[in-house]
Amino acid sequence: MKKTQSALKTSVDEFAAFKEAQMAKNPELDLSQLDLYQQKDGSLKLTGSNLSAAQLSELEQEIAGNGKLVEAFSQLHTGIAQGLKHRDSVGYGELQADDLRGALMLNELTERYSDQFRSDGFGQDYKTMDEQLNTNTGLFGHFLLESVNPRVSTRA
C-alpha cells in the first residue's frame, strides 16, 4: 500500500503542476472542472465539461508526455486492484488493474478519499490534502479502499 500511497501523491502533484503550467501558458482556460482518467490502453484522458473537444485534445497531447504521471496513475490502479483483492478475495478475486481503467477519475477519487477525514471524527487532525495523503500507510489504505468501495453500514 505504500507504493499506492506514493502513486496517488505523485498523481495529484503532477496533475496539479500540469494544470498550473497550462494556466500560465493559457490564462483564458478554465481548468477548474478538468479531471483525469486512464483509458484501457493505459493512455491518459482528460474530461472537463467547460472545455471544447479541441481544447481537451490539445491538453491530452501535452499530458501524454508526462511519463511520471502515466506511471504513477498506472501504479495507483494496480495498487487499488491488489488492495481490493486482498480485502475481499471472493468479491474481487478476478479484478485486474485494467478493469479499473476508465472508472477512476483522479479528482473524484481524491475528493471521496478526503471526505472520509471528518472534522468531528477519526482523522480530524488531517486538514489538508497533503496531510491526508501523507498519513500512516494503514490509515491511507483503509480510507482509499473505502473511497472506491463504499459500504452501507447496517449497525445502528
Side-chain angles (χ1 to χ4, degrees), residues 5-38:
Q5 185 175 17
S6 177
L8 180 55
K9 175 97 172 83
T10 299
S11 296
V12 167
D13 291 346
E14 288 294 313
F15 191 48
F18 169 77
K19 290 192 295 187
E20 284 178 29
Q22 292 306 311
M23 288 187 303
K25 287 195 309 191
N26 306 301
E28 74 282 353
L29 282 180
D30 177 10
L31 302 182
S32 62
Q33 295 179 16
L34 192 65
D35 209 345
L36 174 75
Y37 66 96
Q38 194 169 39

Side-chain angles (χ1 to χ4, degrees), residues 78-136:
T78 299
I80 289 172
Q82 289 173 346
L84 289 171
K85 286 168 73 167
H86 178 72
R87 181 184 237 185
D88 183 358
S89 60
V90 174
Y92 295 106
E94 302 297 318
L95 184 69
Q96 299 296 318
D98 290 351
D99 298 329
L100 299 175
R101 291 189 176 154
L104 294 178
M105 306 281 274
L106 182 60
N107 291 343
E108 180 183 333
L109 175 64
T110 55
E111 184 177 312
R112 288 194 325 239
Y113 172 77
S114 182
D115 285 348
Q116 295 184 62
F117 290 82
R118 307 261 185 236
S119 62
D120 61 345
F122 195 68
Q124 65 186 343
D125 296 332
Y126 303 95
K127 305 223 184 294
T128 68
M129 178 59 73
D130 198 49
E131 290 171 335
Q132 293 166 358
L133 291 175
N134 288 315
T135 187
N136 77 56

Side-chain angles (χ1 to χ4, degrees), residues 45-64:
K45 191 82 171 154
L46 297 169
T47 181
S49 60
N50 57 341
L51 297 174
S52 70
Q55 289 171 318
L56 286 171
S57 178
E58 187 177 316
L59 291 170
E60 286 169 354
Q61 290 175 6
E62 291 279 332
I63 205 166

Side-chain angles (χ1 to χ4, degrees), residues 60-79:
E60 286 169 354
Q61 290 175 6
E62 291 279 332
I63 205 166
N66 187 331
K68 189 174 181 180
L69 179 56
V70 172
E71 184 179 328
F73 208 48
S74 291
Q75 176 58 45
L76 178 61
H77 285 71
T78 299

